[in-house]
Amino acid sequence: MTQPTFDPSSIESILHEERHFNPPSDFVDRMGSVYVSSLSDYEKIYNRSISDPQAFWTEIAEQLHWYRPWDRVLEWSPPDAKWFVGGQTNICDNCVDRQVRNGHGDETAIIWEGEPVDNGGPEIRRLTYADLQRETARLGNALKKLGVRKGDVVTIYMGMVPELAIAMLACARIGAAHSVIFGGFSSQAIADRVTDADSRVIITGDGAWRRGKIVPLKDNVDQACETLAAGNRDVDAVVVLKRCENAINWQDGRDHWYHELTAAADEDCPPEAMDSEDVLFLLYTSGSTGKPKGIVHTTGGYMVFTYITARYVFNLHPGRDQVYWCTADCGWVTGHSYIVYGVLPNRVPSLMYEGAPNFPAEDRFWDIVERHRVTQFYTAPTAIRAFMKWGAEHAEKHDLSSLKVLGTVGEPINPEAWMWYHRVIGGERCPIVDTWWQTETGGHMITPLPGATPTTPGSCTLPFFGIDAAVVNEKGEEQPANTGGLLVIRKPWPGMLRGIHGDRERFLETYWRRVENMYCAGDGAKRDEHGYFWIMGRIDDVINVSGHRLGTMEVESALVSHPAVVEAAVVGVPHEIKGTGIAAFVTLESHAEPSADLREQLRDHVAREIGAIAKPDQIRLTDALPKTRSGKIMRRLLRDVAAGTDTEQDVTTLEDLTVLAKLRESEEE
Ligand code: WT7
């Protein structure tokens, strides 16, 4: 595996942003209480967290419940970190049972709103910590009855319903690792992940509501099971939540109704005492090469890190009528860390919404904010760009005065979108926390603290406590201000990934070989003269579509698996809403006739292989791909071609490409 060579000086500082925003002067008043309320406080705490991490993390970890205290805070033998070594805890206990023990059993833990709306309005459910305790215990016992043991991997493929959070917590409760697969992924994606994780139990639903339509979850699982059976892999049990009441097929012996299993299960299921370094979950994410990688997170460090980042970054305060809403899906890491695991231990209600932002109309999110009096709101730049396009009037119809902190995550936010968010949604009253992090980091790494950090549109500002982030060249030397380089983390942190499931070599190669003993995030970045970080995008063949990573090679493999395709090259192309769209250059078998119909077929084929998120925005059928003399596809050229012509009708011909290729050949080699 070779890494593309990267020339840090090739990243130029692209933005010259002059706008700065201090935390609003009435922020402390509006919030009632703020954990970190000045930049100098931030600096004091940050400096201590770096000079004495053991003391810093000890104080945080002690705020949570452990069955057995740890012997050592950290064992670091690069690139392997163990946190809270020897300690035993359970994250479900800390999210749920601990709140009940402390007398908060009847407080709301999850507010859920369904997508369908009838005359009585949408369906709303409020689950207390006591409800979660009972439901996670029942499902935990039901899973045990199906043969799930400590250390097994349970696959979860569901819509955004409370039972999804319950399923995650139930696994954690009994010490099983979960692997949540985003409900928008295809049956092939399920089969791949189930195989890689060697998972034998799947929790799903009959269907999921999305923009008024039913996503056929169970059909997809059935198909995945067929694929798995063809490869001689068995799924022992499929647990099915009834949600949409759509017709489904049923396989006796394998399939079980969620409601029947849990109704029959005992309510007593004490959380398992887990070693701090026991696996909590796998979460698959795309890389530049090959199949998706199962990122491994363990129990103690992840728990402490998500708890404290959620607390400080969103200023979560229990008992102050806060309602926190993150619009992500639990199928992504954002949902893991900032809908479930980081939020529940802070005893602030976490709002979950089932459906689309434009159902039944484009004001749905603002309607939800108004009705539930949402105080902290966390979403993605791609969503903000869609809101901008739909128009400010949808937000202006609603009373958004409850909002106090706004957050973004997933990709660099363009300054226009930042300003729109600040003005139209935040009413110029709300700090914006632009949080840089990754599936691999577990939680927020570089982010403003809302009461402390002055913000500037497009910068994720300063590192969180304990995070030693830097921009370096390939030798690991720090770059001067305003010079591009590699974003690295130089010291271990509690939420860091512990590996890629089953692939040690890929773990070393992807994150640790580029710069010695530093975690290399795969992002290019610069720091400005104030030390603020600016993320400039991926340095590998990964494209960030709507805030989610896709490997170009994954999409290429999907295309090439179609019988009409000989070869494919996929590149990112600027896209108004998604940030980056997907352009595919495809050469066909000689018998295949290029046509609009075939392009549509190829698009659908990719959706079937990976999921709708990977559907190319442009497909260009060509007779050949431009290559260097050594046979490397000239991606830079393809990127230019894709970005330069905006109509997908346009079929770039062999002649054009060879001419262009010849022109660029010398440069590329
Ligand atoms: C990649 C991680 C972290 C949850 C969502 C995505 C990009 C993420 C930001 C941000 C600029 C960002 C990076 C990163 N990214 N947040 N605030 N500013 N870029 O998780 O799928 O693991 O992707 O998303 O490129 O490496 P992910």
Side-chain angles (χ1 to χ4, degrees), residues 285 332-334 378 381 408-413 434-441 446 458 460 521-523 535-538 544 547-549:
T285 185
W332 311 109
V333 74
T334 307
Y378 192 31
T408 83
V409 60
E411 59 183 305
I413 180 166
D434 175 355
T435 60
W436 178 85
W437 60 294
Q438 309 176 289
T439 304
E440 291 87 341
T441 70
I446 307 181
C460 53
D523 282 337
I535 309 297
M536 291 150 131
R538 303 289 308 180
N544 189 325
H548 300 297
R549 277 186 285 170

Side-chain angles (χ1 to χ4, degrees), residues 280-607:
L280 176 63
F281 64 82
L282 306 181
L283 183 56
Y284 285 84
T285 185
S286 294
S288 55
T289 49
K291 55 179 184 161
K293 41 196 186 190
I295 303 301
V296 179
H297 281 288
T298 58
T299 304
Y302 175 85
M303 172 179 83
V304 170
F305 193 60
T306 52
Y307 157 74
I308 199 61
T309 47
R311 192 173 186 84
Y312 285 176
V313 173
F314 301 120
N315 201 45
L316 299 180
H317 278 277
R320 287 188 192 269
D321 291 331
Q322 296 185 340
V323 173
Y324 164 90
W325 182 21
C326 165
T327 68
D329 190 287
C330 286
W332 311 109
V333 74
T334 307
H336 283 59
S337 299
Y338 299 112
I339 293 178
V340 182
Y341 291 123
V343 184
L344 296 178
N346 279 297
R347 201 159 48 82
V348 165
S350 184
L351 193 149
M352 277 175 92
Y353 168 56
E354 181 178 38
N358 54 353
F359 189 90
E362 280 79 7
D363 68 338
R364 183 63 186 267
F365 274 16
W366 320 124
D367 183 39
I368 292 175
V369 167
E370 177 173 13
R371 280 186 289 103
H372 294 281
R373 307 295 298 156
V374 171
T375 42
Q376 289 98 338
F377 179 76
Y378 192 31
T379 196
T382 184
I384 298 169
R385 287 191 295 267
F387 303 143
M388 287 172 75
K389 193 167 179 190
W390 296 338
E393 64 271 21
H394 301 292
E396 283 159 359
K397 280 204 293 242
H398 294 278
D399 174 8
L400 305 182
S401 62
S402 59
L403 290 171
K404 298 186 168 102
V405 179
L406 302 178
T408 83
V409 60
E411 59 183 305
I413 180 166
N414 45 313
E416 312 85 83
W418 196 103
M419 288 306 298
W420 190 91
Y421 199 29
H422 170 71
R423 225 171 7 88
V424 178
I425 306 305
E428 301 181 5
R429 287 181 306 268
C430 306
I432 294 179
V433 291
D434 175 355
T435 60
W436 178 85
W437 60 294
Q438 309 176 289
T439 304
E440 291 87 341
T441 70
H444 301 145
M445 299 295 278
I446 307 181
T447 174
L449 299 184
T453 317
T455 52
T456 189
S459 169
C460 53
T461 75
L462 298 168
F464 189 76
F465 303 136
I467 303 305
D468 182 19
V471 175
V472 302
N473 63 20
E474 301 244 335
K475 289 190 217 128
E477 300 157 345
E478 243 180 301
Q479 297 285 70
N482 291 314
T483 308
L486 304 164
L487 180 59
V488 295
I489 313 296
R490 296 182 291 199
K491 286 196 171 69
W493 67 100
M496 68 196 285
L497 80 164
R498 301 304 197 263
I500 295 175
H501 181 69
D503 202 340
R504 177 75 181 171
E505 177 54 28
R506 196 172 177 195
F507 171 63
L508 300 175
E509 181 67 24
T510 310
Y511 307 110
W512 301 100
R513 290 235 172 94
R514 199 187 279 269
V515 191
E516 212 185 331
N517 286 348
M518 296 183 191
Y519 171 81
C520 184
D523 282 337
K526 64 155 189 165
R527 285 187 98 159
D528 66 17
E529 57 282 9
H530 312 287
Y532 275 31
F533 285 83
W534 298 76
I535 309 297
M536 291 150 131
R538 303 289 308 180
I539 57 170
D540 50 18
D541 289 329
V542 168
I543 46 185
N544 189 325
V545 178
S546 301
H548 300 297
R549 277 186 285 170
L550 281 174
T552 51
M553 195 171 138
E554 258 179 277
V555 184
E556 287 164 7
S557 312
L559 285 164
V560 172
S561 72
H562 188 281
V565 175
V566 179
E567 200 174 29
V570 164
V571 295
V573 56
H575 187 284
E576 192 187 353
I577 305 280
K578 299 180 189 178
T580 306
I582 301 173
F585 292 81
V586 173
T587 60
L588 298 177
E589 290 281 1
S590 49
H591 57 81
E593 273 302 310
S595 67
D597 185 51
L598 180 60
R599 279 204 294 272
E600 206 41 49
Q601 271 182 39
L602 292 178
R603 241 189 238 118
D604 290 343
H605 180 71
V606 174

